[in-house]
Amino acid sequence: MNGSLPVLRSFFLFISKARWARQIIMSWGVSRRVARRFVVGETLDEAVQAIRDLNAAGLNATFDHLGESVTNEAEAVRATDAYLAILARILETGIRSNASLKLSQLGLNLSYDLCLNNVRRVVQKAAEGGLFIRIDMEDTPTVDRTIELWRTLRKEGLVNVGLVFQACLYRTERDVSAVLAEGCRIRLCKGAYKEPASLAYPKKSDVDASYDRLVRMMIDAARAGGAECASADGRRPPITGVATHDDKRVAAARAYAEQVGFPKQALEFQMLYGIRPELQRQLAAAGYPVRVYVAYGTEWYPFFMRRLAERPANVWFFVSNFFRR
Ligand SMILES: Cc1cc2nc3c(=O)[nH]c(=O)nc-3n(C[C@H](O)[C@H](O)[C@H](O)COP(=O)(O)OP(=O)(O)OC[C@H]3O[C@@H](n4cnc5c(N)ncnc54)[C@H](O)[C@@H]3O)c2cc1C
């Protein structure tokens, strides 16, 4: 969010949800080509290969089978089956990965119960194989239901599931404080959705300050609970997941962790595939667990638009490719 111009950001976040724009932009070959910078491919095989390469470079991964806001039950069930296939492939191949999913892809906007049943199938299957599932956080109308669904699974004994929180929202400090007390493994990000000023900090400096505060809260809570480290097989993350490509946020997290003697293996950095790969490798070489978010599938349009929204340079790259085609 920091590197983007507010008007450009709003524009791309708006068209990320517009069906007409999706139809036009997906029909251009150049879109698919440029999206490939952030999306490893359209098939599970391509994602597995990308993760093997990351693993060989000392990086762990999390799969994202692209898709969101499904409009019927059959699509939600297909997405659930895709996640079950991912889990089977992780176990078959022994790759160092877990999986991240979006509730709107598993039916949240159709019915809470349908979504809960779908997610439960995935998390149960993951638990049987000793795997971990991360529930991505979407826009503000979904936040309460996302936390509620996570709590329901925890009550059922499914503890191999964690949440994402967005530093841009005013409510996040309260939410993070509550779920940390319940043992939640957290991925903290800045927030990729368009939110009104009544709910989210409009200024980037406030989002950054919130980010650093939240990281300190997460580290303090993890220390109080014994500072559990990432699992040796690279699948279960620690409590503290710092998902950013921002050098200053990374430096602030490292500085606080060092100051309080927090173990490196309890502080996981997470980044998106194709973004700051040299920083990913530097952090891994420095002894931190690093997890790369590997998105694949045919439904790459909204994910791609959010990446354009984050950074004007990506838009210029896209436009220059468009005129070169
Ligand atoms: C692993 C992971 C999972 C995420 N999950 C969620 C989620 O569940 N919900 C959610 O709302 N958001 C999620 N996000 C997105 C996040 O909210 C931000 O939109 C995104 O990470 C950009 O913010 P930043 O922290 O990198 O900081 P920024 O200040 O935006 O960027 C810092 C620097 O990183 C680089 N950079 C950042 N974005 C890009 C880009 N698109 N292209 C090229 N360079 C870039 C640039 O060098 C930039 O100067 C996730 C991000 C990561 C890394």
Side-chain angles (χ1 to χ4, degrees):
M1 106 176 322
N2 286 4
S4 72
L5 301 171
V7 178
L8 212 57
R9 180 170 192 266
S10 298
F11 173 72
F12 280 99
L13 292 180
F14 168 72
I15 64 167
S16 73
K17 298 209 173 224
R19 283 188 170 272
W20 59 267
R22 176 196 155 97
Q23 266 172 6
I24 297 170
I25 292 174
M26 282 188 86
S27 70
W28 299 336
V30 63
S31 309
R32 175 167 287 126
R33 254 196 346 268
V34 177
R36 279 301 284 259
R37 191 183 149 199
F38 309 108
V39 174
V40 296
E42 296 199 343
T43 66
L44 179 55
D45 283 343
E46 288 169 295
V48 169
Q49 188 50 51
I51 291 177
R52 282 190 205 280
D53 295 343
L54 292 166
N55 286 173
L59 305 167
N60 300 322
T62 187
F63 277 94
D64 171 34
H65 174 69
L66 289 165
E68 49 202 82
S69 304
V70 298
T71 52
N72 61 63
E73 188 171 339
E75 282 181 70
V77 171
R78 263 202 302 281
T80 307
D81 290 342
Y83 273 95
L84 296 175
I86 287 173
L87 299 179
R89 285 299 284 279
I90 296 175
L91 294 174
E92 234 171 77
T93 55
I95 51 179
R96 298 163 63 87
S97 188
N98 58 38
S100 298
L101 54 80
K102 287 187 173 46
L103 295 188
S104 75
Q105 183 184 14
L106 271 65
L108 185 65
N109 299 335
L110 302 172
S111 139
Y112 177 84
D113 288 338
L114 165 76
C115 179
L116 175 61
N117 286 335
N118 288 339
V119 180
R120 186 187 285 119
R121 280 177 67 204
V122 175
V123 177
Q124 255 165 2
K125 195 74 191 165
E128 285 162 28
L131 301 178
F132 179 84
I133 299 295
R134 176 78 64 187
I135 302 178
D136 286 351
M137 191 59 86
E138 299 177 70
D139 47 6
T140 39
T142 65
V143 176
D144 282 328
R145 285 174 295 160
T146 302
I147 299 173
E148 184 189 335
L149 191 142
W150 172 81
R151 285 203 171 110
T152 304
L153 295 175
R154 296 276 299 191
K155 277 192 206 122
E156 294 174 7
L158 292 167
V159 295
N160 58 324
V161 54
L163 291 173
V164 178
F165 286 93
Q166 299 152 328
C168 66
L169 301 183
Y170 306 131
R171 61 174 288 170
T172 294
E173 208 160 311
R174 202 176 61 240
D175 289 335
V176 163
S177 165
V179 301
L180 278 172
E182 297 166 61
C184 186
R185 288 168 204 280
I186 293 177
R187 170 200 296 154
L188 182 69
C189 64
K190 288 191 186 177
Y193 295 85
K194 182 159 175 47
E195 304 291 354
S198 56
L199 299 175
Y201 298 106
K203 276 172 49 191
K204 93 179 187 57
S205 54
D206 290 330
V207 177
D208 290 343
S210 160
Y211 198 99
D212 295 345
R213 252 190 334 266
L214 287 158
V215 169
R216 291 195 295 272
M217 267 174 70
M218 286 156 59
I219 289 178
D220 289 345
R223 283 176 73 213
E228 190 192 283
C229 292
S231 66
D233 63 7
R235 289 170 179 173
R236 196 195 60 237
I239 298 278
T240 312
V242 174
T244 181
H245 316 92
D246 183 341
D247 284 321
K248 289 193 178 136
R249 309 288 70 72
V250 168
R254 289 180 71 173
Y256 186 67
E258 272 168 38
Q259 185 196 320
V260 299
F262 195 59
K264 284 184 172 176
Q265 284 294 317
L267 178 61
E268 181 170 280
F269 289 99
Q270 303 185 3
M271 295 186 206
L272 302 178
Y273 178 88
I275 302 183
R276 307 290 316 269
E278 69 302 333
L279 179 59
Q280 297 170 13
R281 282 166 176 71
Q282 276 165 22
L283 288 167
Y288 295 97
V290 178
R291 190 172 304 281
V292 180
Y293 187 100
V294 173
Y296 80 96
T298 53
E299 295 301 312
W300 43 264
Y301 173 75
F303 181 83
F304 178 44
M305 288 301 111
R306 289 198 291 275
R307 304 294 78 81
L308 294 185
E310 280 158 4
R311 195 157 158 75
N314 293 342
V315 179
W316 310 139
F317 180 67
F318 180 46
V319 172
S320 61
N321 270 270
F322 183 86
F323 287 110
R324 249 190 270 135
R325 65 196 172 137

